[in-house]
Amino acid sequence: MKRHLVVGLLLAWYGTLHLHAGETGKITGFVTDRQTGEPLVGVNVMLEGTTLGAASGIDGRYTILNVRPGNHTLVASMIGYVTTRVTNVRVSIGLTTTINIELLETVVELGQEIVVVARRPIIQKDRTSSEARVNAEQIRTMPVQEVHHILSLQAGVTVDPGGGLHLRGGRANEIAYWVDGVSLSDVYDNSLSVVVENNAIQELQIVSGTFNAEYGQAMSGIVNIVTKDGGQRFEGTVTTWLGDYVSAGDNIFPYIDSIHPAANRNFEGSLSGPIPMLGERTTFYFTGRRYYTDGWLYGTRRFTTRGDSGDGSAVPMNWRNRSSWQAKLTFWPSSSLRFSLSTLNSRENFRDYNHAFRLNPDGDVNKFDRGETISAVLTHTLSSTSFYTLNLTRFFSKYYEHLYEDPMDSRYLHPDSLIVPAFSFLGGGTNLGRFERSTTSLVAKFDFTSQLDPVHQLKFGIEGRRHKLFLAGATIVPATDSLGQQIVPFQPAILDVSTPVHDQYTREPVEFSAYVQDKIEYQHIIVNVGLRFDYFHSRGEVLSDPSDPNIYIPFKSVNQAKSIEERQQYWYRKVGPKYSLSPRFGIAYPITDRGVLHFSYGHFFQIPSFLYLYNRPGFKVTTAGGVQGVFGNADLEPQRTVMYELGLQQQLGEHLGFDITGFYRDVRNWISTSPPIPTAIAGVSYVRYINKDYANVRGLTFSLERRHADNFSFSLAYTYQVAEGNNSNPEDEFFAALANTEPTKQLTPLDWDQRHTLNALVSVGTDRWGVGLIGRYSSGLPYSPAITVATRQGLNLSTELVKNSRRRPATITVDLRAHYVLAFAGVQSTVFLRVFNLLDRRNELNVFNDTGRATYTLQTRNIPDTPDRHNTVADFFTMPYFYSPPREVQIGMSVSF
């Protein structure tokens, strides 16, 4: 009780607190006399264009904390010595950049200075776990369009056929997304709650190894994004491009053989600099983007929604229309205070391809995604060795889908209009589903960092988050009169929330976290050690009597005799909070000046995505027979994994280095579904989500990088991985119960168990021109084969074999970017060409389980074409969404000033 009270008081005082993620780096080094080599005391080392700096100590050491990632210039000055400027100082998130400075006694005229260009090291000696970093300069020259394209290139990342990212064998919802020190993962499904555009990114960090205690609510890895700030001079960029899918038309991708240059179009721009009226202490940064694509999957308007003949025109069926913008205002009230106010916003309207509506494309739902954040950050530098950060953030995400905005729209049609023969496209009808959900999270954080001495850098922070989740989902049904008879002609209606076809809830869970982290840096060993505490309260309910689940339709006579108000007094019981304690440890051991061994170990806990806690509220089990579900479980335990890794960084030459790492993950308490729970009515049962599934992942990653020199650079990332478990998806056991088959009793390859992935990036060019190529090879993902047996009646019987015991074909993709730069009067113009899937390869992402190919299925041999279908059977089994997108060409221009 006392422990609950302490946690409650902390939550009440802070509103909600959120721990500080690493979004800055550190610069340190020694200042010495160039001629004698003796350390110099009292040298001022400043970060040009900022108020950050430090004075060298008695041993000549200086340390500058809280440095934003990017390229910087150091200025070292002291009376009697020539001022020295060190340019091209690269700072990365959470890492230490070592810059040793040699000063020359004044023997030249006053006013002169020495300029030194820093060299980025090939290996990072204080990196204790596997990670990858991509900065703004690299993103600008890569043939990538979205953040997930960048992530998919990194070692340890697997992309499933639906585009989901799996890091080191974990489920897609096990990655946490951090933006400017705040976790912006939508707790409903752990997706990124707002779109971050590539041109707004200063640095992107992907931590796939054992991440530090400052990060939580993730089991596979962390994606940490730091966005750009305004500088002390005005800068701006405007970029636009037009494009289309350029491919030979065929029966897989119809209507893309003709070129429409504006089918895919993009316009984006950014502006930054000081605000003149407010002085140099106030800067701003703004960027915005508008993007539209017709997509590459088309339908034919052969029918209208009412079943009449259509005009036969081509209709895009996976189009997307997105607008996004970001604004940031930064103010320095004094040399020790920094305040920033920022906002991120994105709005996307789109449609996902629905094969059934291919001849009636106007009858399917449209989808809408909204995201917005607003964040205020105060950073107070207490001394040259200590600072703290206070961050207050609110983010909101909303997703909804429907065909018509008004559920009572007269254009909706009777559900019978969706009834067609098997293997036939719809010849009319409207999608009657409606869905809406939103997440609002209020976040505040306090984080403190102190360089206690040259060896220990201490960080600690506290976190709490308050969420509000809303969900409403319903299926439109025929309206009825007072006698229960359907009204003719059809009128749409939505039944009450007491019915199984209408779900609605509002939930307000809370979280609290605290961590302490010590980075211990000796010359020959670097250690990261930390401990994290997590508290979570779903503030939900579970059934008091699982055998009588539906409060609206009780199964037991003793409950039927009571009113619903009386039942509400005892029907549910409240669940308690959950706790977890996570130790983390990482060590880097430089074996030479060009080689570093690293080892890390840690325990990681993650609250299940909230959709599993609150799914299908009310436990509205009907009296119909069979297994029903899946219902949520507000009493789920945290999922957990233990992760180990051992690796080596090695520099091979002046510009070349590699990293090789072996890893192992033991995953427990994965979300699954329960065995059927019997009710008071014989033959009626249901299932709910529980913690049961297990998985383990083991593998090896290898990356080789040659930094840009002599007009040439390349990088290579290879992953060998084995990901096994008893179930890939939480609902697998439920579907097995519906099919009356046995639950999984052995470990099998997970759906994303990709044994080999190889990504290569090659870039050649100068300051005026450049060409970049990305090549991807991925071995085939597993699938569950089936033997199809034809009977005399022409029906099919499928005999399932061992789950995921066969492999799909491998996939190969090549992307290209070429550019040429024109500079005139301080304005730089860049003309560029981007080509995705340069070889126009038809990669088979999904396959038929009787052949293992997307190109054909044996089922077509046993199903005759009949006049009651709107298509041939072969047409129906031509699945364009089984393949990767065809070749896309973009031509554009970027103007910078």
Side-chain angles (χ1 to χ4, degrees), residues 308-507:
D308 303 323
S309 296
D311 58 14
S313 59
V315 179
M317 293 187 67
N318 68 327
W319 56 269
R320 308 186 89 82
N321 188 1
R322 185 169 83 212
S323 59
S324 61
W325 60 277
Q326 177 194 1
K328 182 183 292 187
L329 184 69
T330 305
F331 174 56
W332 288 268
S334 68
S335 60
S336 61
L337 288 176
R338 178 182 185 270
F339 176 77
S340 68
L341 183 67
S342 62
T343 180
L344 277 165
N345 287 263
S346 61
R347 301 169 63 87
E348 186 167 35
N349 305 338
F350 62 101
R351 176 176 286 186
D352 289 328
Y353 179 81
N354 189 331
H355 196 57
F357 284 88
R358 189 168 184 175
L359 301 183
N360 171 30
D362 299 318
D364 196 19
V365 295
N366 296 311
K367 302 182 178 183
F368 310 86
D369 201 353
R370 306 286 184 262
E372 60 184 48
T373 72
I374 183 167
S375 180
V377 181
L378 174 68
T379 302
H380 185 194
T381 301
L382 302 175
S383 67
S384 61
T385 58
S386 300
F387 71 95
Y388 69 83
T389 301
L390 177 66
N391 188 319
L392 306 175
T393 299
R394 176 190 183 273
F395 69 85
F396 172 79
S397 65
K398 181 178 182 180
Y399 170 84
Y400 56 103
E401 62 178 55
H402 54 246
L403 176 54
Y404 305 121
E405 186 173 0
D406 182 3
M408 301 298 111
D409 197 303
S410 60
R411 290 174 291 177
Y412 278 115
L413 302 176
H414 195 282
D416 289 348
S417 63
L418 299 175
I419 299 176
V420 294
F423 313 112
S424 176
F425 297 117
L426 294 170
T430 53
N431 189 323
L432 300 174
R434 301 179 65 84
F435 180 79
E436 176 184 350
R437 71 165 185 87
S438 64
T439 304
T440 303
S441 294
L442 299 177
V443 179
K445 69 174 183 176
F446 177 81
D447 175 89
F448 179 81
T449 303
S450 180
Q451 189 73 41
L452 300 179
D453 54 41
V455 174
H456 294 274
Q457 179 179 292
L458 181 69
K459 297 179 68 174
F460 66 83
I462 49 178
E463 170 192 38
R465 304 202 288 174
R466 179 178 297 164
H467 312 286
K468 183 176 182 180
L469 287 83
F470 170 78
L471 180 143
T475 301
I476 293 173
V477 298
T480 58
D481 57 23
S482 58
L483 300 177
Q485 301 296 317
Q486 290 188 16
I487 298 175
V488 181
F490 168 78
Q491 293 182 15
I494 292 181
L495 298 183
D496 186 73
V497 293
S498 62
T499 62
V501 293
H502 189 179
D503 288 333
Q504 185 170 317
Y505 66 73
T506 299
R507 299 288 186 266

Side-chain angles (χ1 to χ4, degrees), residues 595-642:
V596 180
L597 285 171
H598 61 87
F599 169 79
S600 58
Y601 162 85
H603 290 248
F604 304 88
F605 292 83
Q606 183 178 4
I607 299 299
S609 298
F610 289 8
L611 69 93
Y612 301 123
L613 276 67
Y614 309 125
N615 193 53
R616 301 188 66 180
F619 290 87
K620 291 174 282 190
V621 179
T622 68
T623 56
V627 181
Q628 302 177 42
V630 179
F631 295 94
N633 181 0
D635 202 25
L636 287 172
E637 296 289 336
Q639 304 170 105
R640 65 178 187 267
T641 183
V642 179

Side-chain angles (χ1 to χ4, degrees), residues 79-128:
I79 295 176
Y81 286 84
V82 179
T83 297
T84 298
R85 301 175 75 247
V86 184
T87 64
N88 197 38
V89 177
R90 163 62 63 180
V91 176
S92 295
I93 303 168
L95 294 181
T96 300
T97 299
T98 301
I99 301 293
N100 294 322
I101 304 173
E102 296 178 337
L103 295 187
L104 182 66
E105 284 193 79
T106 304
V107 293
V108 295
E109 296 180 8
L110 293 177
Q112 292 191 10
E113 62 182 15
I114 297 174
V115 178
V116 179
V117 179
R119 296 292 300 274
R120 179 173 66 90
I122 296 295
I123 61 173
Q124 191 68 41
K125 293 186 178 181
D126 62 327
R127 204 191 74 191
T128 58

Side-chain angles (χ1 to χ4, degrees), residues 43-63:
V43 178
N44 289 319
V45 184
M46 300 296 296
L47 204 65
E48 191 174 64
T50 74
T51 58
L52 298 176
S56 59
I58 192 170
D59 58 352
R61 181 192 291 271
Y62 72 95
T63 299

Side-chain angles (χ1 to χ4, degrees), residues 807-875:
R807 294 280 167 174
R808 310 174 202 195
T811 62
I812 299 175
T813 306
V814 177
D815 299 331
L816 166 74
R817 187 187 191 277
H819 71 271
Y820 187 80
V821 179
L822 300 170
F824 179 75
V827 177
Q828 181 174 286
S829 300
T830 304
V831 180
F832 62 86
L833 167 72
R834 288 193 299 217
V835 184
F836 301 98
N837 193 5
L838 177 68
L839 306 179
D840 198 26
R841 182 180 170 91
R842 298 289 191 265
N843 288 305
E844 300 172 39
L845 305 181
N846 289 295
V847 296
F848 296 103
N849 62 0
D850 60 344
T851 64
R853 300 299 304 272
T855 52
Y856 72 101
T857 173
L858 301 177
Q859 298 179 68
T860 56
R861 300 180 182 180
N862 308 316
I863 306 170
D865 287 318
T866 56
D868 58 347
R869 291 195 183 92
H870 305 301
N871 51 271
T872 66
V873 173
D875 285 340

Side-chain angles (χ1 to χ4, degrees), residues 247-315:
S247 179
D250 52 32
N251 63 331
I252 298 174
F253 299 126
Y255 305 114
I256 65 170
D257 52 339
S258 58
I259 299 176
H260 302 280
N264 305 335
R265 49 192 181 270
N266 180 86
F267 180 84
E268 58 190 302
S270 63
L271 185 65
S272 65
I275 300 179
M277 294 178 294
L278 299 179
E280 295 182 352
R281 289 185 177 272
T282 306
T283 64
F284 75 96
Y285 177 82
F286 176 84
T287 183
R289 182 187 184 196
R290 184 66 183 269
Y291 167 71
Y292 175 82
T293 176
D294 273 343
W296 65 93
L297 300 175
Y298 285 80
T300 304
R301 190 179 284 120
R302 187 187 300 179
F303 301 99
T304 68
T305 57
R306 295 192 172 276
D308 303 323
S309 296
D311 58 14
S313 59
V315 179

